């Protein structure tokens, strides 16, 4: 959990906050996320997700499309000695990352957002937060 602001350097490297490094070390999987961000999964969590994707019905177009988008964009990333990752170009483009990024911890994954996109998303979500909380009562929250 948490929100951290970091910059991508000229070589496409991004510092991963120390708080996230232990869970992601030595390598993790980075892929396209929803809402225009990137999802980063520790290896164990990625394996669980892959098992669920494999169980999806091949005959459902939405299942095929979701699996294709998530898996085709996936890349294994390793932290260097300074705690940085080298972001793949296709994922930089997907998330419209430029210099300023926001990394957030969300349950079993991290998310990487462009700072501008995250600010817009957070502003919009904050406006709906009370209504969202009422709707989540059905899920036991």
């Amino acid at each position: 959990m948490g929100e951290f602001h970091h910059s991508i350097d000229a070589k496409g490297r991004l510092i991963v906050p120390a708080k996230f490094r232990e869970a992601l070390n030595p390598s993790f999987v980075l892929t396209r996320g929803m809402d225009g961000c990137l999802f980063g999964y520790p290896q164990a969590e990625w394996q669980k997700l892959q098992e669920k994707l494999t169980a999806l019905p091949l005959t459902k177009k939405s299942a095929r499309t979701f699996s294709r988008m998530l898996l085709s964009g996936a890349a294994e990333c390793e932290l260097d000695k300074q705690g940085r990752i080298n972001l793949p170009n296709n994922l930089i483009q997907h998330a419209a990352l430029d210099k300023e990024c926001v990394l957030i911890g969300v349950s079993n994954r991290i998310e990487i957002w462009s700072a501008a996109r995250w600010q817009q998303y957070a502003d919009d979500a904050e406006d709906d937060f009370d209504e969202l909380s009422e709707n989540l009562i059905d899920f036991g929250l």
Side-chain angles (χ1 to χ4, degrees):
M1 62 186 164
E3 178 179 320
F4 304 88
H5 296 254
H6 289 284
S7 298
I8 297 176
D9 69 15
K11 295 182 180 179
R13 297 176 299 196
L14 178 67
I15 293 174
V16 174
K19 186 174 183 177
F20 298 153
R21 289 180 202 158
E22 185 176 328
L24 300 174
N25 215 1
S27 69
F28 64 99
V29 176
L30 193 62
T31 191
R32 291 181 186 100
M34 289 169 252
D35 304 311
C37 71
L38 303 179
F39 287 173
Y41 291 95
Q43 290 290 349
E45 293 297 325
W46 180 251
Q47 292 295 16
K48 290 178 193 176
L49 180 57
Q50 277 193 301
E51 289 170 12
K52 290 177 182 177
L53 292 173
T54 301
L56 290 175
L58 187 60
T59 55
K60 291 227 17 128
K61 183 177 182 173
S62 59
R64 290 191 312 272
T65 302
F66 182 78
S67 293
R68 285 177 183 140
M69 293 305 295
L70 198 67
L71 295 171
S72 68
E76 191 168 323
C77 295
E78 290 191 21
L79 295 166
D80 68 13
K81 292 177 183 175
Q82 287 78 38
R84 301 173 299 192
I85 56 169
N86 206 0
L87 296 167
N89 285 333
N90 65 318
L91 295 180
I92 288 173
Q93 291 173 355
H94 169 77
L97 300 176
D98 48 21
K99 186 144 180 76
E100 299 302 318
C101 296
V102 179
L103 293 90
I104 62 172
V106 182
S107 186
N108 65 345
R109 68 179 183 274
I110 65 166
E111 294 182 356
I112 301 173
W113 292 77
S114 89
R117 192 176 271 181
W118 170 249
Q119 188 61 55
Q120 183 63 54
Y121 182 86
D123 289 346
D124 293 346
E126 191 164 340
D127 292 342
D128 299 331
F129 191 67
D130 291 338
E131 184 179 330
L132 290 168
S133 65
E134 286 180 22
N135 293 332
L136 292 176
I137 193 95
D138 297 335
F139 295 101
L141 291 177

